[in-house]
Amino acid sequence: GAGVSQSPSNKVTEKGKDVELRCDPISGHTALYWYRQSLGQGLEFLIYFQGNSAPDKSGLPSDRFSAERTGGSVSTLTIQRTQQEDSAVYLCASSLAGRSDEQFFGPGTRLTVL
Amino acid sequence: KNQVEQSPQSLIILEGKNCTLQCNYTVSPFSNLRWYKQDTGRGPVSLTIMTFSENTKSNGRYTATLDADTKQSSLHITASQLSDSASYICVVSVVGSNDYKLSFGAGTTVTVRA
């Protein structure tokens, strides 16, 4: 398909383990975003990639969270030493150029930390 | 405090009836306002976008209104269908070099019953 894809769709892990979440943006989109969606909360911005510019990491909640984007396409969000409060749906989105462009969201990865 | 407040938190309506969702925001300066529909287990999908100068925008049975003076927006669903059951999220974009940063409401969960 031509949409944003994410994997895995569901991830259950034990507290203290590391997890990697993957996002494949729409081909040709230069901007990529990661969000966290907790139950009953609005989407929380985590990190933003735009082309070759330095990413905006201002939304990452702690140094246990990191993300990279290889070759300007696929992105991985890594959470180290997971905690129960990390349980949420992690959404990835991409947009054509970034500035006020419509963001197209993936289906999300539901992370459950036991 | 969230800068985008939505009400009601949830509502149940009968198929064929109309309903109106509210969004109040305090973010400024304002760039645009979007309404997203998020089906269960899926990522949000954009329904409408309005800039500062627009008062209303329609997308099929969905009509969004905007009052930039009072910083209020509404989403009206006409002749609801079972497929309208979803979470509806109001998203406000802020002008500036960081206008890719969006403020998300917590959403209104709509359940349409036969």
Side-chain angles (χ1 to χ4, degrees), chain B residues 37-107:
Chain B
K37 179 187 179 187
Q38 185 175 20
D39 293 313
T40 301
R42 309 290 293 274
V45 175
S46 179
L47 289 176
T48 64
I49 177 173
M50 288 180 291
T51 61
F52 184 89
S53 60
E54 295 178 290
N55 301 117
T56 185
K57 184 69 71 73
S58 291
N59 179 356
R61 295 178 297 99
Y62 300 102
T63 299
T65 64
L66 174 64
D67 185 334
D69 292 331
T70 61
K71 297 188 177 181
Q72 295 180 324
S73 177
S74 66
L75 181 69
H76 186 76
I77 305 175
T78 303
S80 61
Q81 301 177 359
L82 297 178
S83 59
D84 293 330
S85 295
S87 178
Y88 292 85
I89 303 171
C90 176
V91 185
V92 180
S93 174
V94 177
V95 172
S97 60
N98 291 332
D99 68 353
Y100 53 81
K101 284 188 177 178
L102 309 177
S103 291
F104 290 81

Side-chain angles (χ1 to χ4, degrees), chain A residues 37 42 56 58 100 102-103 106, chain B residues 34 38 43 46 99-101:
Chain A
Q37 186 176 35
D56 177 358
S58 60
S100 298
E102 179 179 356
Q103 295 184 26
Chain B
R34 293 183 186 271
Q38 185 175 20
S46 179
D99 68 353
Y100 53 81
K101 284 188 177 178

Side-chain angles (χ1 to χ4, degrees), chain A residues 3-112:
Chain A
V4 177
S5 61
Q6 292 185 244
S7 61
S9 56
N10 282 283
K11 177 70 176 179
V12 180
T13 190
E14 293 180 346
K15 178 182 174 181
K17 299 288 188 183
D18 297 351
V19 296
E20 275 192 359
L21 313 180
R22 176 188 169 104
C23 172
D24 284 83
I26 294 173
S27 178
H29 282 194
T30 62
L32 186 147
Y33 316 74
W34 281 99
Y35 296 93
R36 180 167 67 178
Q37 186 176 35
S38 301
L39 192 64
Q41 304 292 321
L43 272 72
E44 174 188 7
F45 166 78
L46 296 178
I47 189 169
Y48 165 72
F49 296 90
Q50 172 56 56
N52 296 320
S53 302
D56 177 358
K57 304 180 181 180
S58 60
L60 295 178
S62 77
D63 58 8
R64 296 186 295 104
F65 288 73
S66 62
E68 62 177 23
R69 188 179 185 189
T70 55
S73 181
V74 173
S75 176
T76 56
L77 176 68
T78 301
I79 307 174
Q80 296 178 310
R81 306 181 301 283
T82 52
Q83 302 296 314
Q84 289 185 332
E85 60 262 29
D86 299 335
S87 296
V89 175
Y90 290 83
L91 289 164
C92 173
S94 70
S95 64
L96 191 59
R99 296 182 66 84
S100 298
D101 286 340
E102 179 179 356
Q103 295 184 26
F104 294 82
F105 286 83
T109 294
R110 180 174 295 279
L111 174 66
T112 303

